[in-house]
Amino acid sequence: MSREEIVAVAVRLFAIFLAVQAIRLATQAISADSGVPISEFAVGIVLTVIFPFAAAVLLWLFPLSIASTLLPINKNKESLFSNSNTNSILEAGCILIGLWFLASALTDTFYWVVILIVSIRGDYGIEDLRTVDIANIIATGVQIFVSLSLILGYRRILSAINSLRFKGI
């Protein structure tokens, strides 16, 4: 694989992350309180959902041109990895994706811990959680589980991927 191909894979992974975050923000915006004026609601939707989703589409459609723009010009066109063993790339990818998910989940975890503390104490009139709040707490827990599985259990994931890849051979 060349440098550009590796960066293109990372660009596409980032595009997937942006699309998932845009969908997540869209569901949160739809379930938001209706007391917000429609003009402010529309501006909020455009800024938090449409721009990240549009960026994800552009990143997905043009990963090699973006990668070649980001990387300095290399006069050597040889492959970055001369052998066909891609396990080291897959290991690094699993760990990086796991860290990325964990970083995203930690902010949500802090948010939900504060909301749970406030709801238990009865401060600010929040005494019971809505169904969407409970669903978001569970989704955050699943995200932490998946991220820790990617970081700590990547060898099992890689063996499963390799067994699927070479099953027919």
Side-chain angles (χ1 to χ4, degrees):
M1 283 182 102
S2 68
R3 298 177 319 141
E4 289 81 9
E5 291 170 332
I6 292 172
V7 173
V9 168
V11 166
R12 281 210 165 156
L13 288 173
F14 186 62
I16 291 170
F17 181 78
L18 280 177
V20 168
Q21 290 293 75
I23 292 169
R24 185 176 176 191
L25 288 172
T27 58
Q28 289 175 350
I30 290 170
S31 66
D33 292 336
S34 61
V36 178
I38 194 70
S39 62
E40 292 177 12
F41 185 71
V43 170
I45 290 289
V46 167
L47 292 177
T48 60
V49 176
I50 294 176
F51 282 148
F53 194 74
V57 169
L58 289 174
L59 291 171
W60 184 264
L61 293 176
F62 306 108
L64 283 173
S65 60
I66 292 170
S68 63
T69 302
L70 292 174
L71 291 171
I73 296 174
N74 186 9
K75 296 180 181 177
N76 299 339
K77 294 293 182 183
E78 63 189 35
S79 176
L80 186 61
F81 299 99
S82 58
N83 59 4
S84 62
N85 185 6
T86 59
N87 279 340
S88 60
I89 296 171
L90 289 173
E91 288 175 356
C94 281
I95 291 171
L96 289 174
I97 291 172
L99 289 172
W100 197 351
F101 282 168
L102 185 63
S104 173
L106 286 179
T107 57
D108 292 342
T109 302
F110 292 129
Y111 173 80
W112 289 116
V113 165
V114 169
I115 292 295
L116 285 173
I117 290 171
V118 168
S119 68
I120 289 171
R121 291 179 48 195
D123 293 343
Y124 306 109
I126 300 174
E127 294 178 7
D128 56 345
L129 296 174
R130 298 177 305 174
T131 306
V132 70
D133 295 334
I134 295 169
N136 283 331
I137 290 170
I138 292 170
T140 301
V142 169
Q143 189 175 4
I144 288 174
F145 174 75
V146 168
S147 65
L148 291 176
S149 298
L150 284 169
I151 293 169
L152 302 174
Y154 66 90
R155 286 197 172 97
R156 289 186 193 140
I157 295 170
L158 292 181
S159 66
I161 290 172
N162 286 331
S163 68
L164 289 174
R165 283 177 62 196
F166 301 114
K167 188 175 185 179
I169 296 176

